[in-house]
Amino acid sequence: MRPVTGERELRGVAVYPDIVIGKAHLIDRSRVKILYQCFVNGEELDREVERFKEAVHTVEDQFVSLKRKMPDKVKDQSFILDSHLMILKDGMLYDSTVKTILKEKINAEWALKKSLEEIREVFEQIDDEYISNRISDVENVTERLLRTLSGDTGQSLGEIDQRVIIVAHDLSPADTTELNTARVMGFITDVGGKTSHTAIMAQALEIPAVVGLESATALVEDGDLLIVDGSSGVVVINPDDSAIIHYQEKKLQLQKYKSSIARTSHLPAETPDGCRVAITANIEFLEEVTAAKDYGGEGIGLYRTEFLYLRGKGFPEEEDLFDDYREVVEIMNPAPVTIRTLDLGGDKFASEIAISGESNPALGLRAIRFCLREPEIFKAQLRAILRASLYGKIQLMFPMISGLQELLDAKQILEQVKEELDRDNIEYDTNMEVGIMVEIPSAVAMAEVLARHVDFFSIGTNDLIQYALAIDRINEHVAYMYEPFHPAILRMIRQVVKAARDAGIEVALCGEMAGDPLCVSILLGNGIDRLSMNARSIPLIKKMVRTIPMKQAKADLKKIMALNTAKEVRAYILEGTKRMFPELEEKGYLLD
Ligand code: PEP
Ligand code: MG
């Protein structure tokens, strides 16, 4: 029996700044009951091991299939499912469970439970909130295995087809990807923190959510009316009329704020003291071009071209590439489109490309290195880009340039392709600009030399942070160290901008930093010419640029550059941003 009647308020961790009011739908994600069984006979034990291995296979297939079906919005987060796949086969879980079954002569469920307890003990000794929170990933994987072993796979969240708010003890990231976002209005959970993958997933899917409520499943009943305020972390169970009116008003204010930003998104990003910054969009698919325009993008600053190669239908023909590039360029014309040549490898693989057996793919045959090794694949893409350049303004960009020789080699192939086109009387824009991503520390060191050979730089902070700080960007165990405010990164950005300024070329920045409200002032102060980001971030970043005077950004940057740790930099920036944009904190935009 529920101990309360009437309205009750719970507080948890706010995940995505929006408010929903709707009916609760309880999901039974309670832990599976585990029975202890002991065996004496070897055959029975072999069967237990086999049963465990089969469950691992089944769950593996489920994760692979969920990953394949992930909505585009959350494709960036597919590493979460990769990490689940890794956990499945991790020695501490897999080998140790098999060993325990055989050694202690017990059933697979009990052995698995023991493995989880051992892993939990290891995690508990880690004095870091982010890492210790990652135990929830191991728990999610174990839970799925236990359900599979017990034959109880529970309700599939993909089947929920009503306008409801999900209430669950925990939702794994895999559960979250399954949600029918067109129907499910939001979710709340007992467990979870702001860095949990479920929270990250909710943000990517733009679902209002509050996690870490501790007792939501105990206090909420199926069909209860709920208010979920994803901006403050408040959940109201069975609200009275005044609470409903209050939150409806708050939702209205939040929507008004969002649309007030959206309404001005077509205005240029010019600081109050008259400095103009170009704001462009990053896209991965042709379909995103319209959104880029709608959100006020002044061009495409990064077209990641891997998608057509990753569809798993063989390599795209030059003609398919040409059609795709031409359409993007025509839609954006006269605004510029920066097409980045193929960046396969690292965490992006095409099944047709055998870059196998690399123990360190991020440091392996990736991006331009791969293209220089496979000139025919590279040339087909360059031909398509050059041919499309007639239909608008294309800027060509090479990724992962580590030094001058690599750039010269890439440019030489580009020249060969131009000669071939000339020979075939095929026209292209002979003035097409050529630039590079600066995303490897050696390119930063060589920036002043490289700047003399290109028309523009685009700083790729996603990789620059990875390589400069030695933090694998897809390894969640070190994600807490992935720090854009590290003074080393700020120094590198400054060095690249200076090299570009001295050579008189444009410098853009297209990593995630560009769309982060906390980074705007630093990037402005550095004098970056163009910021390229996820289209959704454009309206807010433009508004911020229109509010921060360049003089102030420069003065702040000077103070920031005197700070020696990322923690100090972050605290300084957070304080300044809250002071200047109090509504951002209030409306839940500064979740960090
Ligand atoms: C980067 O590295 O910052 C970048 C924009 O490229 P990607 O994220 O595609 O590696
Ligand atoms: Mg990169």
Side-chain angles (χ1 to χ4, degrees), residues 372 401 403-414 453:
L372 293 175
I401 293 290
L404 182 60
Q405 191 55 56
E406 216 169 24
L407 171 60
L408 295 178
D409 291 347
K411 284 178 77 170
Q412 192 186 2
I413 295 185
L414 178 65
H453 296 267

Side-chain angles (χ1 to χ4, degrees), residues 282 302 304 306 340 343 348 366 437 439 459-464 473 510-512:
N282 293 351
L302 170 63
R304 293 182 165 104
E306 294 76 46
R340 181 178 74 183
D343 185 3
K348 299 174 214 135
R366 189 187 153 183
M437 299 269 310
E439 52 185 343
I459 307 175
T461 45
N462 302 345
D463 275 313
L464 187 58
R473 64 190 263 194
C510 63
E512 290 303 301

Side-chain angles (χ1 to χ4, degrees), residues 344-346 348-359 361 364-367 370 373-374:
L344 283 180
K348 299 174 214 135
F349 292 104
S351 47
E352 290 70 24
I353 303 171
I355 318 175
S356 58
E358 290 194 311
S359 56
L365 192 61
R366 189 187 153 183
F370 170 77
R373 247 271 292 267
E374 301 286 346

